[in-house]
Amino acid sequence: MLYTTKQTYTPPLHPHEFNERALIVDTETVGAGPQVEIVEIAVGDTEGRILFDTLISPTFNRLPPPSKHHRFERAEFDSAPQWPEVWPQLSALFDGRLLIAYNAAFDRRAVAATCSRYAQATPERGWRCALPLVRRALGARRSPTLEEACARFGITGGAHRAAADVIATRQLLARLLAAGAGPAGTGADEAC
């Protein structure tokens, strides 16, 4: 299955973009590649408020058994809405906003693939990735998971649940930006 996006790559977040016009997004998914399907999504603002948080009943993929990466019980999805029920509210939140995610390339592709299945256009202004700021602050060559990055900065996070990961990403970015992490230096312009 093919999908389209507005961006061909996901640029790094620049400090001035972490403002009231941006939203933080996290998704939990099943499937892989173009068949990826969102089963949980949360959206928060840069002040730390969760604006939207829901499970989404998968239509095209089965739920995997519970594991460290998929902390869901099948019973949680008994009354979960399907994507077409969720999209109108998400679309209204995304409209004209810059979306930030810890590993934005992944979340951007998940949203685009899921929307593509239902012939829905995504109205966001664009996506930005937090990972390059984290990698630079840590002096890391490889990309740390959200859980690893949070542990390095003494933040609880990386629970593989969307709302908790939105909050952890926001706390991590607030800490990095308060400490002066910015785009200068090597590797700052690399994408996710």
Side-chain angles (χ1 to χ4, degrees), residues 7-191:
Q7 293 175 286
T8 56
Y9 84 108
T10 309
L13 175 68
H14 289 273
H16 71 276
E17 295 173 316
F18 188 71
N19 60 46
E20 69 281 349
R21 294 181 310 271
L23 296 172
I24 302 166
V25 178
D26 188 78
T27 62
E28 300 300 325
T29 64
V30 292
Q35 283 77 35
V36 71
E37 186 173 11
I38 296 171
V39 294
E40 185 177 40
I41 189 166
V43 179
D45 64 18
T46 55
E47 296 298 315
R49 293 179 295 259
I50 296 296
L51 305 175
F52 188 83
D53 178 24
T54 189
L55 292 172
I56 299 168
S57 183
T59 303
F60 304 99
N61 293 283
R62 293 183 314 160
L63 285 173
S67 70
K68 77 176 201 170
H69 294 293
H70 293 283
R71 298 176 186 216
F72 303 111
E73 298 293 332
R74 283 176 168 55
E76 291 181 84
F77 291 88
D78 288 346
S79 61
Q82 293 189 326
W83 184 259
E85 298 169 71
V86 168
W87 183 244
Q89 190 174 354
L90 272 175
S91 179
L93 274 174
F94 287 0
D95 192 17
R97 303 296 282 274
L98 183 68
L99 305 181
I100 300 168
Y102 182 75
N103 180 1
F106 176 83
D107 295 291
R108 177 182 57 85
R109 286 189 304 262
V111 169
T114 305
C115 283
S116 178
R117 281 196 182 93
Y118 297 99
Q120 298 162 326
T122 59
E124 78 277 356
R125 195 178 90 216
W127 287 80
R128 295 297 183 269
C129 189
L131 198 47
L133 282 176
V134 173
R135 216 173 24 237
R136 180 173 172 258
L138 294 175
R141 289 185 184 189
R142 73 168 189 82
S143 298
T145 65
L146 178 57
E147 185 175 24
E148 292 167 341
C150 286
R152 291 283 302 272
F153 289 98
I155 298 168
T156 302
H160 292 289
R161 290 303 300 251
D165 288 355
V166 164
I167 291 167
T169 299
R170 189 260 171 210
Q171 290 173 338
L172 185 61
L173 286 172
R175 174 119 4 124
L176 289 173
L177 295 174
T186 57
D189 291 329
E190 60 191 78

